[in-house]
Amino acid sequence: MDRLLTLIVDDHPIVVEGLKTLLKNEQNLKIVASFHNGTDLLAYIETNRVDLVLLDVTLPDINGMDLCQIIKKTSLSTIILILSNHTERSIIMQTIQNGASGYLLKNSSLDELRKCISESVQGNICYSREVMEIISRPGRNELRSTPQLTRREKQILSLLAQGKTSQVIADELFLSPLTVDTHRRNLLQKFEVKNVAELITTAHQQKIL
Amino acid sequence: MDRLLTLIVDDHPIVVEGLKTLLKNEQNLKIVASFHNGTDLLAYIETNRVDLVLLDVTLPDINGMDLCQIIKKTSLSTIILILSNHTERSIIMQTIQNGASGYLLKNSSLDELRKCISESVQGNICYSREVMEIISRPGRNELRSTPQLTRREKQILSLLAQGKTSQVIADELFLSPLTVDTHRRNLLQKFEVKNVAELITTAHQQKIL
DNA sequence: TTTTTTCTACTGGTTTTTAGGTATTTTCTG
DNA sequence: CAGAAAATACCTAAAAACCAGTAGAAAAAA
């Protein structure tokens, strides 16, 4: 079997160099080129055979998730391994859905990288240990779904986050402080939290603030 | 002049390899060791001379911001260059405040890295181009600098963010609730905020939580 | 070892939040 | 238009937070 013609795509020169060094002595693959953006990669793949792509998610032009799809459309037989720092479950799932054969965090060991490469050329999907864990647990904060807030509630949430009291908010919005209290209470209930401190933490975790 | 005895501290094996490769041919420095966490670094630095540390911010045990301070306390003459992906102004400023001599993003070129090393050994502070831009635009609410927190204060801040009351925190830490109240009050004062809600928002903006 | 900082704890008092409800009016939507 | 959802407003009472000041013990730094 020929050596795998391999591309590296990452916008960090340091990472590219690291990968080159780490894979230099691998017998079964040959690094033919490296790019720091998606456009150059696509241009190359149009006219050259490529067996394996080591792909970052964060690139200056096109994101890795979308790139997966385009690569697979151009060259179905090319195998894609994602190398990324993103630990969000949603991102991982999306890359796999778009045709990637594996997902490794950049702090993976060389052994894991080797294993994933050999697994993926055999047609399997392979994750590094840490990624495996992320996938298997349905995520703490992703368990409770983000509650649906009304316009007023969003408004008051943001004012509460600024440390304003019910009285101040009431003055600002021309409401009774008692009304603000009610909204505040509903917010606590919707988020299933005990007080405003926890409310704000939770809202931050869910990217609402 | 002797070659600079240099350490690499990063939890990404790929990045470490990349840096080694990139710096292998530098005449003026010699990489003496590399670590993937803060504890090992501190152990090494206790008993060995180190001229330069290339340091990541995200590490599994101690964060790079705190590490700066500890390194400088142990060995004042050691120069620290931060190599990170974080683009938040507050993080950059904090590392510098804690004694770092420069800050580079991981997508910096080798030229920038070389330049920053030579600048910093001359006692100057040096940022990569992109970092420079981040610093120069004085972010909206980040004008007030991040206050220096004690260990207890950090601990209580995080418990407050979980929505716990003084009483609960006191029970958890085996303290008088009155003591917890005092810490809480000091936190409000240090952050110049009115209540815990605003405290948590501010702490989040400054990436302390 | 002396000084400084941090951690601890208290008194006493005011303000605000939180927890149960209930109820009317406005606004949106089928 | 009718019904649902949202916004408005109130009551009572307990719990918690906030304000201002003090001060000894422990730990860290000079």
Side-chain angles (χ1 to χ4, degrees), chain B residues 28-197:
Chain B
N28 58 332
L29 63 82
K30 179 180 167 59
I31 293 163
V32 288
S34 58
F35 303 107
H36 60 278
N37 63 57
T39 315
D40 292 351
L41 160 74
L42 291 176
Y44 182 93
I45 228 164
E46 280 287 338
T47 49
N48 296 276
R49 181 187 136 205
V50 174
D51 300 316
L52 178 65
V53 179
L54 301 179
L55 184 62
D56 194 7
V57 167
T58 315
L59 291 172
D61 48 357
I62 315 171
N63 78 62
M65 271 132 38
D66 293 345
L67 266 180
C68 281
Q69 226 170 10
I70 305 171
I71 293 171
K72 279 289 173 182
K73 204 153 55 185
T74 314
S75 163
L76 186 65
S77 62
T78 300
I79 287 165
I80 304 169
L81 268 189
I82 306 293
L83 260 174
S84 161
N85 270 321
H86 292 278
T87 53
E88 290 92 350
R89 197 168 183 279
S90 56
I91 291 183
I92 300 171
M93 299 314 269
Q94 181 124 39
T95 60
I96 302 298
Q97 200 162 17
N98 288 1
S101 296
Y103 196 108
L104 295 148
L105 292 178
K106 282 188 184 163
N107 61 4
S108 310
S109 65
L110 182 54
D111 277 345
E112 283 182 307
L113 179 57
R114 275 204 206 91
K115 195 181 130 234
C116 278
I117 290 174
S118 73
E119 282 287 325
S120 58
V121 296
Q122 285 169 42
N124 300 322
I125 287 178
C126 181
Y127 310 105
S128 71
R129 194 187 45 74
E130 272 190 78
V131 174
M132 207 71 121
E133 283 171 26
I134 294 166
I135 293 171
S136 57
R137 63 167 139 77
R140 295 154 269 299
N141 17 3
E142 296 165 51
L143 273 164
R144 34 181 172 177
S145 60
T146 54
Q148 196 64 36
L149 300 186
T150 68
R151 193 178 317 154
R152 231 354 168 211
E153 283 165 351
K154 282 181 200 166
Q155 192 176 22
I156 284 172
L157 171 58
S158 120
L159 293 170
L160 286 172
Q162 292 167 35
K164 293 178 176 166
T165 66
S166 292
Q167 184 61 60
V168 171
I169 294 172
D171 289 347
E172 229 163 278
L173 302 180
F174 305 106
L175 294 174
S176 158
L178 298 163
T179 304
V180 178
D181 263 351
T182 304
H183 286 303
R184 167 210 237 86
R185 199 138 41 87
N186 292 337
L187 279 166
L188 296 185
Q189 208 162 49
K190 283 194 179 180
F191 278 88
E192 298 177 61
V193 294
K194 292 182 295 298
N195 53 36
V196 172

Side-chain angles (χ1 to χ4, degrees), chain A residues 150-153 175-176 178-179 182-183 185 195:
Chain A
T150 68
R151 194 178 315 149
R152 238 340 175 216
E153 283 165 352
L175 293 174
S176 158
L178 298 163
T179 304
T182 304
H183 286 303
R185 203 137 38 87
N195 54 37

Side-chain angles (χ1 to χ4, degrees), chain A:
Chain A
M1 179 177 163
D2 275 358
R3 289 167 86 183
L4 294 167
L5 303 182
T6 302
L7 291 188
I8 297 172
V9 187
D10 200 303
D11 66 330
H12 301 335
I14 295 166
V15 172
V16 173
E17 282 311 310
L19 282 171
K20 278 187 188 169
T21 310
L22 286 168
L23 298 174
K24 200 166 48 192
N25 299 320
E26 292 298 308
Q27 296 305 313
N28 59 331
L29 62 81
K30 179 179 166 61
I31 293 163
V32 288
S34 58
F35 303 106
H36 61 278
N37 62 58
T39 315
D40 292 352
L41 161 73
L42 291 175
Y44 182 92
I45 228 165
E46 281 287 340
T47 49
N48 296 275
R49 181 186 136 205
V50 175
D51 300 316
L52 179 64
V53 179
L54 301 178
L55 184 62
D56 193 8
V57 168
T58 316
L59 292 171
D61 50 357
I62 314 171
N63 77 63
M65 269 131 40
D66 294 345
L67 266 180
C68 280
Q69 227 169 9
I70 305 172
I71 293 171
K72 279 288 173 183
K73 206 154 52 185
T74 314
S75 164
L76 188 64
S77 63
T78 300
I79 287 164
I80 305 168
L81 269 189
I82 306 294
L83 261 174
S84 160
N85 270 322
H86 293 277
T87 53
E88 289 93 349
R89 200 167 180 281
S90 57
I91 290 182
I92 299 173
M93 299 316 265
Q94 180 125 38
T95 58
I96 302 299
Q97 200 159 19
N98 288 1
S101 297
Y103 196 110
L104 296 147
L105 292 177
K106 282 188 185 163
N107 61 2
S108 309
S109 66
L110 182 53
D111 278 344
E112 284 182 308
L113 179 57
R114 276 204 206 91
K115 197 180 130 235
C116 278
I117 290 174
S118 73
E119 283 287 325
S120 59
V121 295
Q122 286 168 42
N124 300 319
I125 287 178
C126 181
Y127 310 107
S128 71
R129 194 186 47 71
E130 272 191 79
V131 175
M132 207 72 119
E133 282 171 28
I134 293 166
I135 293 172
S136 56
R137 67 165 138 78
R140 287 166 260 298
N141 10 0
E142 292 166 53
L143 251 169
R144 33 180 174 177
S145 54
T146 49
Q148 197 62 39
L149 300 186
T150 68
R151 194 178 315 149
R152 238 340 175 216
E153 283 165 352
K154 282 181 199 162
Q155 191 177 24
I156 285 172
L157 171 59
S158 123
L159 293 169
L160 285 172
Q162 291 167 37
K164 293 176 178 169
T165 67
S166 294
Q167 184 62 63
V168 172
I169 295 173
D171 290 348
E172 228 163 276
L173 302 181
F174 305 108
L175 293 174
S176 158
L178 298 163
T179 304
V180 178
D181 264 352
T182 304
H183 286 303
R184 171 217 237 52
R185 203 137 38 87
N186 292 337
L187 278 166
L188 296 184
Q189 209 162 47
K190 284 194 179 180
F191 278 89
E192 298 175 62
V193 295
K194 292 182 295 299
N195 54 37
V196 172
E198 197 183 355
L199 171 70
I200 290 168
T201 301
T202 310
H204 253 114
Q205 279 170 357
Q206 305 186 355
K207 315 272 179 206
I208 294 171
L209 278 172

